[in-house]
Amino acid sequence: MKEIRYIWAINEAIKEEMERDDKVVLIGEDVGTPGGSFGASRGLYDLFGPERIFDTPISEAAITGLAAGAAACGLRPIVEIMFMDFMTICMDGIVNQIAKMRYMFGSQFKVPVVIRTPSGGGLNAGPQHSQSLEAWFAHVPGLKVVMPATPYDVKGLLKSAIRDDNPIVFIEHKALHALKGSIPEKEYRVPIGKADIKKEGTDVTVVAVSKMVHESLKASEILAQDGINIEVIDLLTISPWDRETIFGSVAKTHRLVIAHEAVKNFGVGAEISAAVSEEILDELDAPIMRVGAPFVPIPFSLEKAYLPNADQIVAAVKKTMERTF
Amino acid sequence: MRKPGKKKLIQIYKKMVTIRKVEEKLMEVFSTGEIPGFIHVCIGQEATPVAVCSWLKDSDYMSTTHRGHGHALAKGIDLNLFMAELFGKSAGYCRGRSGSMHIADPKTGILGANGIVGGGIPIATGAAFASQYKKSGQVTVCFFGEGATNEGTFHESLNIASIRKLPIVYVCENNGWAEFTPQKTHMPIKKVADRARAYDMPGAVVPNDILKIYEKAGEAVERARKGQGPTLLEIKSTRWHGHFVGDAQKYRLEKEVAAAKKKDCIADFEKKLLKDKTLRKAEIKKIADMVNQRIEGAVDFARKSPLPDQSELMDDLYV
Ligand SMILES: Cc1ncc(C[n+]2csc(CCOP(=O)(O)OP(=O)(O)O)c2C)c(N)n1
């Protein structure tokens, strides 16, 4: 095992996959000699040159559409969109084109595009540089949406994403870029579509997305002092999400909290909550609680008050412990 | 085109010095961690905002970018409220919700800085459409960098503005860099102004010289005001510092940065003003002192202003 930062784990995954398969290309703004705005492609230009490390103008709409065309014609593009907020400019390419090309054209095409983008708050970057928009993409049939929270998972999942023949929206968390963690020296992959139990527990299932995994682990320590033992599940893949693991855990704990940084309204938590209610309502001993951001844009200076945190998870867990049907 | 008189020249000079010193102060304060988030300064580019905004009234509109402090100050934003916003304080223009990157003030026609490159261009075009519709005689100025002209919004907006002969001036400040990447990596052309031809509007390249920009901007604003349609101006300016404060610009050669810093639009103007005796050394010093004092006052105001209260978080999302 070795220690590595989240951002370097991304870099390693791209490098290894580019070495393995010469169809893999990286496309994005400042990804060339500057090595990416957050450093994810540092050193790659020197290794792979300008043909494979395609440093583009500031033209998000065009590069997304271009990736669709290139993928349909045999390449395996990784597109870097510098901030998730700028994904809004790529929406036609992603939603109307990439997501639909296979199905709409009678399953004749494969569109193996990975769109990597950092989401999330924590840097006081304000309303247009801090959003978590995963639910938008999870709402679109044809896309897979992945959201890893540790160096181990980000590397393993990115490698799986690059090898997957389907289009994948790969959402990093920019406040986790500097996070250190251990990963194997040897090649490994983490499967798409599988959640990971980060901490086993018996009292309440907490399904967490991205950075909320770390907040949930913090919450778990706080709750342990009160004798409450939560199970923390890292969802990892938002779509298609791992029903089996989550239903299994709920069947064990009979209580469920879902935590994500995105606004609570119409979020991933709503989908999971609805599915649990539809499928295994009789397993629940208490109403499901959701932790998410309030329904306003992310303010510049009140960011801390805005972002969901461990305390809110603790409160939600306690509430499910108090409330019963 | 009218040449600026002595009073105007001094006013222009003061504004340029104010912008430079505000940016220098911000760099200093930012590095202590007092200002959250990130900021982009426009040192080296002060001539453009001042020259262009000299032709505008408060009621005229202006849209700007992430590198927008100079434009906002030139358009007439209040320094104290501006500073308070950058500090994220409740007294700020946007109640601490915007910070540097989204500052707006409708009273002085500032439609907003923008965190989205190219995001402001159609918005400014829409403002021009509204004033044409209302026959209000207002002009809109839209500032952006050369990097933004690779966004679809730039091309789509210029096309529309030209079709409808909208009262707008598009001002591209070409500082040669988009973040960490030089212009030549991203554009097959050297002159952004050449892009005007595709939309059948006048395009002009102007050096980073306050009086030349003043003259060209005057023509473009007049053209817009008379209902003759849009113009694209490209100012060949220079970016002295990193993309954001804290960016050590390792991707630039030292000698290129040194050359950029040699092209100092303020020092050039100062020399000229001294030479033709518009200003004397002592007066220049006095201006500097006065500007410094105002800035200290603004920083003090921002420091003393409280942070927004948590209870405001959900306020006024809808009308
Ligand atoms: C849509 C979008 N894409 C990318 C970015 C990231 N970004 C911020 S500033 C910038 C460079 C802008 O260059 P230019 O327009 O020349 O303006 P300058 O910074 O030189 O003033 C980039 C790529 C962004 N904020 N918005």
mmCIF file of all heavy atoms in Angstrom, chain A residues 30 37 55-60 82 86 123-125 127-129 294-295 297 299-302 305, chain B residues 36-37 88 96-97 99 101-102 114-116 150-151 179-181 186 308-310 313-314 317-318:
data_model
loop_
_atom_site.group_PDB
_atom_site.id
_atom_site.type_symbol
_atom_site.label_atom_id
_atom_site.label_comp_id
_atom_site.label_asym_id
_atom_site.label_seq_id
_atom_site.Cartn_x
_atom_site.Cartn_y
_atom_site.Cartn_z
ATOM 1 N N ASP A 30 -6.938 23.880 -20.144
ATOM 2 C CA ASP A 30 -5.721 23.918 -19.331
ATOM 3 C C ASP A 30 -5.230 22.533 -18.906
ATOM 4 O O ASP A 30 -4.492 22.410 -17.943
ATOM 5 C CB ASP A 30 -5.918 24.799 -18.079
ATOM 6 C CG ASP A 30 -6.026 26.283 -18.429
ATOM 7 O OD1 ASP A 30 -5.101 26.817 -19.047
ATOM 8 O OD2 ASP A 30 -7.043 26.904 -18.079
ATOM 9 N N SER A 37 -6.463 22.639 -14.036
ATOM 10 C CA SER A 37 -6.663 23.690 -13.040
ATOM 11 C C SER A 37 -6.434 23.193 -11.624
ATOM 12 O O SER A 37 -5.980 23.931 -10.764
ATOM 13 C CB SER A 37 -8.083 24.244 -13.143
ATOM 14 O OG SER A 37 -8.062 25.425 -13.867
ATOM 15 N N ASP A 55 -5.575 20.147 -25.189
ATOM 16 C CA ASP A 55 -5.859 21.366 -24.426
ATOM 17 C C ASP A 55 -6.738 22.263 -25.283
ATOM 18 O O ASP A 55 -6.326 22.739 -26.332
ATOM 19 C CB ASP A 55 -4.541 22.061 -24.076
ATOM 20 C CG ASP A 55 -4.725 23.122 -23.010
ATOM 21 O OD1 ASP A 55 -5.720 23.864 -23.081
ATOM 22 O OD2 ASP A 55 -3.873 23.209 -22.110
ATOM 23 N N THR A 56 -7.950 22.489 -24.844
ATOM 24 C CA THR A 56 -8.934 23.153 -25.701
ATOM 25 C C THR A 56 -9.144 24.614 -25.323
ATOM 26 O O THR A 56 -8.848 25.022 -24.203
ATOM 27 C CB THR A 56 -10.311 22.461 -25.592
ATOM 28 O OG1 THR A 56 -10.864 22.781 -24.303
ATOM 29 C CG2 THR A 56 -10.211 20.972 -25.750
ATOM 30 N N PRO A 57 -9.693 25.369 -26.245
ATOM 31 C CA PRO A 57 -10.186 26.704 -25.900
ATOM 32 C C PRO A 57 -11.306 26.600 -24.866
ATOM 33 O O PRO A 57 -11.787 25.495 -24.576
ATOM 34 C CB PRO A 57 -10.728 27.240 -27.226
ATOM 35 C CG PRO A 57 -10.147 26.382 -28.288
ATOM 36 C CD PRO A 57 -9.868 25.055 -27.672
ATOM 37 N N ILE A 58 -11.735 27.745 -24.356
ATOM 38 C CA ILE A 58 -12.834 27.767 -23.385
ATOM 39 C C ILE A 58 -14.128 27.609 -24.182
ATOM 40 O O ILE A 58 -14.759 28.578 -24.581
ATOM 41 C CB ILE A 58 -12.838 29.075 -22.575
ATOM 42 C CG1 ILE A 58 -11.428 29.404 -22.080
ATOM 43 C CG2 ILE A 58 -13.796 28.974 -21.382
ATOM 44 C CD1 ILE A 58 -11.308 30.761 -21.415
ATOM 45 N N SER A 59 -14.494 26.383 -24.439
ATOM 46 C CA SER A 59 -15.607 26.066 -25.349
ATOM 47 C C SER A 59 -16.286 24.789 -24.882
ATOM 48 O O SER A 59 -16.276 23.772 -25.567
ATOM 49 C CB SER A 59 -15.066 25.863 -26.777
ATOM 50 O OG SER A 59 -14.220 26.911 -27.184
ATOM 51 N N GLU A 60 -16.885 24.839 -23.700
ATOM 52 C CA GLU A 60 -17.415 23.610 -23.090
ATOM 53 C C GLU A 60 -18.444 22.908 -23.971
ATOM 54 O O GLU A 60 -18.477 21.675 -24.052
ATOM 55 C CB GLU A 60 -18.031 23.904 -21.721
ATOM 56 C CG GLU A 60 -17.032 24.302 -20.641
ATOM 57 C CD GLU A 60 -16.651 25.761 -20.696
ATOM 58 O OE1 GLU A 60 -17.254 26.517 -21.491
ATOM 59 O OE2 GLU A 60 -15.734 26.156 -19.954
ATOM 60 N N MET A 82 -13.862 21.904 -15.812
ATOM 61 C CA MET A 82 -13.089 22.443 -14.684
ATOM 62 C C MET A 82 -13.865 22.549 -13.365
ATOM 63 O O MET A 82 -13.340 22.265 -12.293
ATOM 64 C CB MET A 82 -12.592 23.816 -15.100
ATOM 65 C CG MET A 82 -11.390 24.310 -14.372
ATOM 66 S SD MET A 82 -10.997 25.980 -14.917
ATOM 67 C CE MET A 82 -10.366 25.708 -16.557
ATOM 68 N N PHE A 86 -19.912 24.452 -14.622
ATOM 69 C CA PHE A 86 -19.812 24.720 -16.064
ATOM 70 C C PHE A 86 -20.435 23.590 -16.891
ATOM 71 O O PHE A 86 -20.548 23.691 -18.109
ATOM 72 C CB PHE A 86 -18.360 24.934 -16.506
ATOM 73 C CG PHE A 86 -17.558 25.861 -15.634
ATOM 74 C CD1 PHE A 86 -16.169 25.801 -15.614
ATOM 75 C CD2 PHE A 86 -18.180 26.800 -14.820
ATOM 76 C CE1 PHE A 86 -15.427 26.642 -14.799
ATOM 77 C CE2 PHE A 86 -17.446 27.639 -14.001
ATOM 78 C CZ PHE A 86 -16.059 27.557 -13.991
ATOM 79 N N LEU A 123 -14.620 25.946 -0.501
ATOM 80 C CA LEU A 123 -13.515 26.858 -0.836
ATOM 81 C C LEU A 123 -13.992 28.307 -0.878
ATOM 82 O O LEU A 123 -13.277 29.181 -1.362
ATOM 83 C CB LEU A 123 -12.901 26.506 -2.198
ATOM 84 C CG LEU A 123 -12.496 25.061 -2.487
ATOM 85 C CD1 LEU A 123 -11.796 24.973 -3.836
ATOM 86 C CD2 LEU A 123 -11.581 24.519 -1.408
ATOM 87 N N ASN A 124 -15.192 28.575 -0.407
ATOM 88 C CA ASN A 124 -15.785 29.909 -0.533
ATOM 89 C C ASN A 124 -15.730 30.411 -1.969
ATOM 90 O O ASN A 124 -15.439 31.569 -2.238
ATOM 91 C CB ASN A 124 -15.098 30.924 0.381
ATOM 92 C CG ASN A 124 -15.499 30.751 1.827
ATOM 93 O OD1 ASN A 124 -14.741 30.196 2.615
ATOM 94 N ND2 ASN A 124 -16.693 31.193 2.165
ATOM 95 N N ALA A 125 -15.992 29.513 -2.883
ATOM 96 C CA ALA A 125 -15.891 29.879 -4.293
ATOM 97 C C ALA A 125 -17.194 30.478 -4.815
ATOM 98 O O ALA A 125 -17.268 30.885 -5.966
ATOM 99 C CB ALA A 125 -15.480 28.672 -5.121
ATOM 100 N N PRO A 127 -21.517 31.122 -5.532
ATOM 101 C CA PRO A 127 -22.663 30.430 -6.127
ATOM 102 C C PRO A 127 -22.416 29.745 -7.468
ATOM 103 O O PRO A 127 -23.135 28.806 -7.804
ATOM 104 C CB PRO A 127 -23.714 31.533 -6.296
ATOM 105 C CG PRO A 127 -23.119 32.782 -5.808
ATOM 106 C CD PRO A 127 -21.781 32.531 -5.262
ATOM 107 N N GLN A 128 -21.437 30.181 -8.241
ATOM 108 C CA GLN A 128 -21.225 29.589 -9.572
ATOM 109 C C GLN A 128 -19.993 28.679 -9.648
ATOM 110 O O GLN A 128 -19.557 28.294 -10.725
ATOM 111 C CB GLN A 128 -21.099 30.696 -10.632
ATOM 112 C CG GLN A 128 -22.396 31.489 -10.830
ATOM 113 C CD GLN A 128 -22.242 32.644 -11.794
ATOM 114 O OE1 GLN A 128 -21.133 33.095 -12.051
ATOM 115 N NE2 GLN A 128 -23.356 33.145 -12.319
ATOM 116 N N HIS A 129 -19.420 28.346 -8.500
ATOM 117 C CA HIS A 129 -18.239 27.472 -8.499
ATOM 118 C C HIS A 129 -18.301 26.436 -7.382
ATOM 119 O O HIS A 129 -17.266 25.942 -6.943
ATOM 120 C CB HIS A 129 -16.950 28.291 -8.313
ATOM 121 C CG HIS A 129 -16.489 29.028 -9.542
ATOM 122 N ND1 HIS A 129 -17.104 30.157 -10.002
ATOM 123 C CD2 HIS A 129 -15.466 28.796 -10.394
ATOM 124 C CE1 HIS A 129 -16.473 30.597 -11.084
ATOM 125 N NE2 HIS A 129 -15.473 29.789 -11.351
ATOM 126 N N PRO A 294 -29.775 23.527 2.154
ATOM 127 C CA PRO A 294 -31.037 24.262 2.029
ATOM 128 C C PRO A 294 -31.283 24.707 0.591
ATOM 129 O O PRO A 294 -30.340 24.789 -0.213
ATOM 130 C CB PRO A 294 -30.841 25.470 2.946
ATOM 131 C CG PRO A 294 -29.367 25.606 3.120
ATOM 132 C CD PRO A 294 -28.775 24.248 2.944
ATOM 133 N N PHE A 295 -32.517 25.032 0.277
ATOM 134 C CA PHE A 295 -32.917 25.315 -1.100
ATOM 135 C C PHE A 295 -32.640 26.779 -1.469
ATOM 136 O O PHE A 295 -33.546 27.573 -1.699
ATOM 137 C CB PHE A 295 -34.397 24.973 -1.264
ATOM 138 C CG PHE A 295 -34.833 24.845 -2.694
ATOM 139 C CD1 PHE A 295 -34.216 23.934 -3.538
ATOM 140 C CD2 PHE A 295 -35.857 25.637 -3.200
ATOM 141 C CE1 PHE A 295 -34.617 23.813 -4.865
ATOM 142 C CE2 PHE A 295 -36.262 25.521 -4.523
ATOM 143 C CZ PHE A 295 -35.640 24.612 -5.350
ATOM 144 N N PRO A 297 -29.150 29.145 -3.531
ATOM 145 C CA PRO A 297 -27.795 29.041 -4.084
ATOM 146 C C PRO A 297 -26.754 29.129 -2.964
ATOM 147 O O PRO A 297 -27.057 29.594 -1.867
ATOM 148 C CB PRO A 297 -27.705 30.263 -5.004
ATOM 149 C CG PRO A 297 -29.116 30.626 -5.323
ATOM 150 C CD PRO A 297 -29.898 30.283 -4.083
ATOM 151 N N PRO A 299 -24.196 30.679 -0.871
ATOM 152 C CA PRO A 299 -23.726 32.052 -0.693
ATOM 153 C C PRO A 299 -22.224 32.088 -0.463
ATOM 154 O O PRO A 299 -21.631 31.114 0.007
ATOM 155 C CB PRO A 299 -24.480 32.520 0.541
ATOM 156 C CG PRO A 299 -24.805 31.278 1.304
ATOM 157 C CD PRO A 299 -24.870 30.147 0.330
ATOM 158 N N PHE A 300 -21.627 33.212 -0.808
ATOM 159 C CA PHE A 300 -20.173 33.381 -0.681
ATOM 160 C C PHE A 300 -19.734 33.284 0.774
ATOM 161 O O PHE A 300 -18.964 32.404 1.136
ATOM 162 C CB PHE A 300 -19.796 34.724 -1.303
ATOM 163 C CG PHE A 300 -18.389 35.175 -1.058
ATOM 164 C CD1 PHE A 300 -17.310 34.417 -1.482
ATOM 165 C CD2 PHE A 300 -18.139 36.391 -0.426
ATOM 166 C CE1 PHE A 300 -16.012 34.853 -1.274
ATOM 167 C CE2 PHE A 300 -16.840 36.827 -0.225
ATOM 168 C CZ PHE A 300 -15.782 36.065 -0.637
ATOM 169 N N SER A 301 -20.257 34.147 1.614
ATOM 170 C CA SER A 301 -19.668 34.151 2.958
ATOM 171 C C SER A 301 -20.426 33.290 3.963
ATOM 172 O O SER A 301 -19.869 32.915 4.979
ATOM 173 C CB SER A 301 -19.477 35.581 3.467
ATOM 174 O OG SER A 301 -20.689 36.148 3.832
ATOM 175 N N LEU A 302 -21.672 32.956 3.700
ATOM 176 C CA LEU A 302 -22.382 32.072 4.637
ATOM 177 C C LEU A 302 -22.242 30.606 4.238
ATOM 178 O O LEU A 302 -23.096 29.778 4.551
ATOM 179 C CB LEU A 302 -23.865 32.446 4.703
ATOM 180 C CG LEU A 302 -24.256 33.618 5.602
ATOM 181 C CD1 LEU A 302 -25.761 33.828 5.571
ATOM 182 C CD2 LEU A 302 -23.794 33.409 7.045
ATOM 183 N N ALA A 305 -22.499 27.974 7.034
ATOM 184 C CA ALA A 305 -23.856 27.771 7.544
ATOM 185 C C ALA A 305 -24.682 26.974 6.539
ATOM 186 O O ALA A 305 -25.633 26.288 6.900
ATOM 187 C CB ALA A 305 -24.513 29.118 7.808
ATOM 188 N N PRO B 36 -12.155 35.631 1.927
ATOM 189 C CA PRO B 36 -12.300 34.217 1.539
ATOM 190 C C PRO B 36 -12.398 34.019 0.021
ATOM 191 O O PRO B 36 -12.546 34.997 -0.729
ATOM 192 C CB PRO B 36 -13.608 33.794 2.213
ATOM 193 C CG PRO B 36 -14.282 35.024 2.709
ATOM 194 C CD PRO B 36 -13.393 36.208 2.465
ATOM 195 N N GLY B 37 -12.339 32.774 -0.389
ATOM 196 C CA GLY B 37 -12.533 32.448 -1.802
ATOM 197 C C GLY B 37 -11.317 32.764 -2.643
ATOM 198 O O GLY B 37 -10.198 32.580 -2.197
ATOM 199 N N GLY B 88 -17.066 39.679 2.161
ATOM 200 C CA GLY B 88 -18.211 38.805 2.472
ATOM 201 C C GLY B 88 -19.112 39.360 3.558
ATOM 202 O O GLY B 88 -19.828 38.610 4.212
ATOM 203 N N GLY B 96 -22.970 40.045 0.960
ATOM 204 C CA GLY B 96 -21.987 38.999 1.231
ATOM 205 C C GLY B 96 -22.261 37.708 0.489
ATOM 206 O O GLY B 96 -21.623 36.699 0.742
ATOM 207 N N ARG B 97 -23.196 37.743 -0.433
ATOM 208 C CA ARG B 97 -23.519 36.508 -1.150
ATOM 209 C C ARG B 97 -22.659 36.305 -2.396
ATOM 210 O O ARG B 97 -22.611 35.201 -2.943
ATOM 211 C CB ARG B 97 -24.992 36.534 -1.589
ATOM 212 C CG ARG B 97 -25.944 36.372 -0.436
ATOM 213 C CD ARG B 97 -27.372 36.548 -0.912
ATOM 214 N NE ARG B 97 -28.289 36.403 0.205
ATOM 215 C CZ ARG B 97 -29.591 36.633 0.116
ATOM 216 N NH1 ARG B 97 -30.123 37.025 -1.036
ATOM 217 N NH2 ARG B 97 -30.358 36.484 1.158
ATOM 218 N N GLY B 99 -19.291 38.031 -3.142
ATOM 219 C CA GLY B 99 -17.844 38.178 -3.113
ATOM 220 C C GLY B 99 -17.367 38.885 -4.366
ATOM 221 O O GLY B 99 -18.145 39.551 -5.056
ATOM 222 N N MET B 101 -16.508 37.770 -7.295
ATOM 223 C CA MET B 101 -16.760 37.257 -8.639
ATOM 224 C C MET B 101 -18.143 37.556 -9.205
ATOM 225 O O MET B 101 -18.393 37.317 -10.380
ATOM 226 C CB MET B 101 -16.527 35.748 -8.666
ATOM 227 C CG MET B 101 -15.597 35.375 -9.788
ATOM 228 S SD MET B 101 -15.258 33.630 -9.960
ATOM 229 C CE MET B 101 -15.502 32.881 -8.398
ATOM 230 N N HIS B 102 -19.052 38.079 -8.374
ATOM 231 C CA HIS B 102 -20.418 38.272 -8.888
ATOM 232 C C HIS B 102 -20.967 39.635 -8.507
ATOM 233 O O HIS B 102 -22.181 39.822 -8.473
ATOM 234 C CB HIS B 102 -21.342 37.183 -8.340
ATOM 235 C CG HIS B 102 -20.772 35.816 -8.450
ATOM 236 N ND1 HIS B 102 -20.725 35.135 -9.644
ATOM 237 C CD2 HIS B 102 -20.169 35.011 -7.546
ATOM 238 C CE1 HIS B 102 -20.144 33.968 -9.447
ATOM 239 N NE2 HIS B 102 -19.789 33.869 -8.190
ATOM 240 N N ASN B 114 -19.159 38.033 -13.359
ATOM 241 C CA ASN B 114 -19.663 36.701 -13.662
ATOM 242 C C ASN B 114 -18.598 35.642 -13.439
ATOM 243 O O ASN B 114 -17.455 35.824 -13.830
ATOM 244 C CB ASN B 114 -20.144 36.657 -15.120
ATOM 245 C CG ASN B 114 -21.327 35.741 -15.277
ATOM 246 O OD1 ASN B 114 -21.263 34.578 -14.898
ATOM 247 N ND2 ASN B 114 -22.407 36.267 -15.799
ATOM 248 N N GLY B 115 -18.999 34.575 -12.807
ATOM 249 C CA GLY B 115 -18.069 33.470 -12.592
ATOM 250 C C GLY B 115 -18.009 32.538 -13.779
ATOM 251 O O GLY B 115 -17.179 31.638 -13.838
ATOM 252 N N ILE B 116 -18.900 32.754 -14.712
ATOM 253 C CA ILE B 116 -18.965 31.892 -15.896
ATOM 254 C C ILE B 116 -18.356 32.651 -17.062
ATOM 255 O O ILE B 116 -18.875 33.703 -17.467
ATOM 256 C CB ILE B 116 -20.431 31.508 -16.210
ATOM 257 C CG1 ILE B 116 -21.077 30.826 -15.001
ATOM 258 C CG2 ILE B 116 -20.519 30.627 -17.453
ATOM 259 C CD1 ILE B 116 -20.400 29.542 -14.537
ATOM 260 N N ASN B 150 -13.902 32.435 -27.239
ATOM 261 C CA ASN B 150 -13.987 31.073 -27.777
ATOM 262 C C ASN B 150 -15.251 30.354 -27.313
ATOM 263 O O ASN B 150 -15.476 29.200 -27.669
ATOM 264 C CB ASN B 150 -12.754 30.274 -27.361
ATOM 265 C CG ASN B 150 -11.501 30.844 -27.990
ATOM 266 O OD1 ASN B 150 -11.520 31.229 -29.157
ATOM 267 N ND2 ASN B 150 -10.434 30.935 -27.229
ATOM 268 N N GLU B 151 -16.036 31.041 -26.502
ATOM 269 C CA GLU B 151 -17.313 30.466 -26.070
ATOM 270 C C GLU B 151 -18.379 30.754 -27.126
ATOM 271 O O GLU B 151 -18.376 31.823 -27.758
ATOM 272 C CB GLU B 151 -17.770 31.083 -24.743
ATOM 273 C CG GLU B 151 -16.973 30.640 -23.525
ATOM 274 C CD GLU B 151 -17.365 29.258 -22.993
ATOM 275 O OE1 GLU B 151 -18.011 28.467 -23.710
ATOM 276 O OE2 GLU B 151 -16.997 28.976 -21.837
ATOM 277 N N GLU B 179 -6.342 31.971 -18.113
ATOM 278 C CA GLU B 179 -5.776 31.183 -17.018
ATOM 279 C C GLU B 179 -4.290 30.955 -17.256
ATOM 280 O O GLU B 179 -3.493 31.880 -17.181
ATOM 281 C CB GLU B 179 -6.528 29.853 -16.837
ATOM 282 C CG GLU B 179 -7.880 30.042 -16.205
ATOM 283 C CD GLU B 179 -8.380 28.799 -15.482
ATOM 284 O OE1 GLU B 179 -7.744 27.725 -15.569
ATOM 285 O OE2 GLU B 179 -9.406 28.892 -14.821
ATOM 286 N N PHE B 180 -3.941 29.694 -17.593
ATOM 287 C CA PHE B 180 -2.516 29.335 -17.669
ATOM 288 C C PHE B 180 -2.088 29.090 -19.104
ATOM 289 O O PHE B 180 -1.073 28.455 -19.357
ATOM 290 C CB PHE B 180 -2.255 28.081 -16.825
ATOM 291 C CG PHE B 180 -3.081 28.031 -15.571
ATOM 292 C CD1 PHE B 180 -3.943 26.979 -15.308
ATOM 293 C CD2 PHE B 180 -3.011 29.081 -14.648
ATOM 294 C CE1 PHE B 180 -4.737 26.961 -14.155
ATOM 295 C CE2 PHE B 180 -3.800 29.064 -13.503
ATOM 296 C CZ PHE B 180 -4.659 28.006 -13.255
ATOM 297 N N THR B 181 -2.929 29.542 -20.043
ATOM 298 C CA THR B 181 -2.702 29.183 -21.434
ATOM 299 C C THR B 181 -2.643 30.428 -22.310
ATOM 300 O O THR B 181 -3.516 31.291 -22.221
ATOM 301 C CB THR B 181 -3.825 28.236 -21.902
ATOM 302 O OG1 THR B 181 -3.907 27.147 -20.982
ATOM 303 C CG2 THR B 181 -3.550 27.692 -23.274
ATOM 304 N N HIS B 186 -5.050 28.649 -28.339
ATOM 305 C CA HIS B 186 -6.513 28.551 -28.408
ATOM 306 C C HIS B 186 -7.153 29.230 -29.593
ATOM 307 O O HIS B 186 -8.357 29.115 -29.797
ATOM 308 C CB HIS B 186 -7.119 29.151 -27.132
ATOM 309 C CG HIS B 186 -6.910 28.277 -25.943
ATOM 310 N ND1 HIS B 186 -7.079 28.722 -24.655
ATOM 311 C CD2 HIS B 186 -6.538 26.979 -25.862
ATOM 312 C CE1 HIS B 186 -6.830 27.723 -23.829
ATOM 313 N NE2 HIS B 186 -6.494 26.671 -24.527
ATOM 314 N N PRO B 308 -22.822 38.455 7.467
ATOM 315 C CA PRO B 308 -24.275 38.249 7.425
ATOM 316 C C PRO B 308 -24.676 37.270 8.522
ATOM 317 O O PRO B 308 -23.904 36.373 8.865
ATOM 318 C CB PRO B 308 -24.515 37.638 6.043
ATOM 319 C CG PRO B 308 -23.240 37.710 5.303
ATOM 320 C CD PRO B 308 -22.141 37.986 6.260
ATOM 321 N N ASP B 309 -25.855 37.458 9.047
ATOM 322 C CA ASP B 309 -26.331 36.553 10.080
ATOM 323 C C ASP B 309 -26.873 35.279 9.430
ATOM 324 O O ASP B 309 -27.466 35.323 8.357
ATOM 325 C CB ASP B 309 -27.444 37.233 10.878
ATOM 326 C CG ASP B 309 -27.752 36.449 12.130
ATOM 327 O OD1 ASP B 309 -26.982 36.588 13.102
ATOM 328 O OD2 ASP B 309 -28.731 35.660 12.121
ATOM 329 N N GLN B 310 -26.647 34.170 10.099
ATOM 330 C CA GLN B 310 -27.124 32.888 9.561
ATOM 331 C C GLN B 310 -28.603 32.896 9.242
ATOM 332 O O GLN B 310 -29.069 32.198 8.350
ATOM 333 C CB GLN B 310 -26.860 31.784 10.578
ATOM 334 C CG GLN B 310 -25.429 31.331 10.577
ATOM 335 C CD GLN B 310 -25.308 29.953 11.209
ATOM 336 O OE1 GLN B 310 -26.235 29.165 11.196
ATOM 337 N NE2 GLN B 310 -24.134 29.663 11.742
ATOM 338 N N LEU B 313 -29.821 33.356 5.641
ATOM 339 C CA LEU B 313 -29.492 32.373 4.606
ATOM 340 C C LEU B 313 -30.633 32.160 3.611
ATOM 341 O O LEU B 313 -30.410 32.094 2.406
ATOM 342 C CB LEU B 313 -29.107 31.047 5.275
ATOM 343 C CG LEU B 313 -28.642 29.914 4.373
ATOM 344 C CD1 LEU B 313 -27.343 30.267 3.654
ATOM 345 C CD2 LEU B 313 -28.430 28.635 5.189
ATOM 346 N N MET B 314 -31.844 32.064 4.102
ATOM 347 C CA MET B 314 -32.972 31.714 3.234
ATOM 348 C C MET B 314 -33.748 32.935 2.740
ATOM 349 O O MET B 314 -34.768 32.795 2.066
ATOM 350 C CB MET B 314 -33.931 30.772 3.973
ATOM 351 C CG MET B 314 -33.321 29.504 4.516
ATOM 352 S SD MET B 314 -32.548 28.491 3.252
ATOM 353 C CE MET B 314 -33.983 27.938 2.332
ATOM 354 N N LEU B 317 -35.209 34.515 -1.616
ATOM 355 C CA LEU B 317 -34.861 33.722 -2.803
ATOM 356 C C LEU B 317 -35.828 34.081 -3.935
ATOM 357 O O LEU B 317 -35.435 34.207 -5.092
ATOM 358 C CB LEU B 317 -34.947 32.225 -2.476
ATOM 359 C CG LEU B 317 -34.715 31.275 -3.652
ATOM 360 C CD1 LEU B 317 -33.301 31.421 -4.215
ATOM 361 C CD2 LEU B 317 -34.960 29.828 -3.241
ATOM 362 N N TYR B 318 -37.075 34.253 -3.576
ATOM 363 C CA TYR B 318 -38.070 34.690 -4.564
ATOM 364 C C TYR B 318 -38.557 36.076 -4.186
ATOM 365 O O TYR B 318 -38.434 36.491 -3.042
ATOM 366 C CB TYR B 318 -39.246 33.710 -4.591
ATOM 367 C CG TYR B 318 -38.838 32.307 -4.985
ATOM 368 C CD1 TYR B 318 -38.710 31.308 -4.028
ATOM 369 C CD2 TYR B 318 -38.543 31.994 -6.310
ATOM 370 C CE1 TYR B 318 -38.314 30.022 -4.381
ATOM 371 C CE2 TYR B 318 -38.155 30.710 -6.663
ATOM 372 C CZ TYR B 318 -38.042 29.728 -5.698
ATOM 373 O OH TYR B 318 -37.646 28.466 -6.048
#
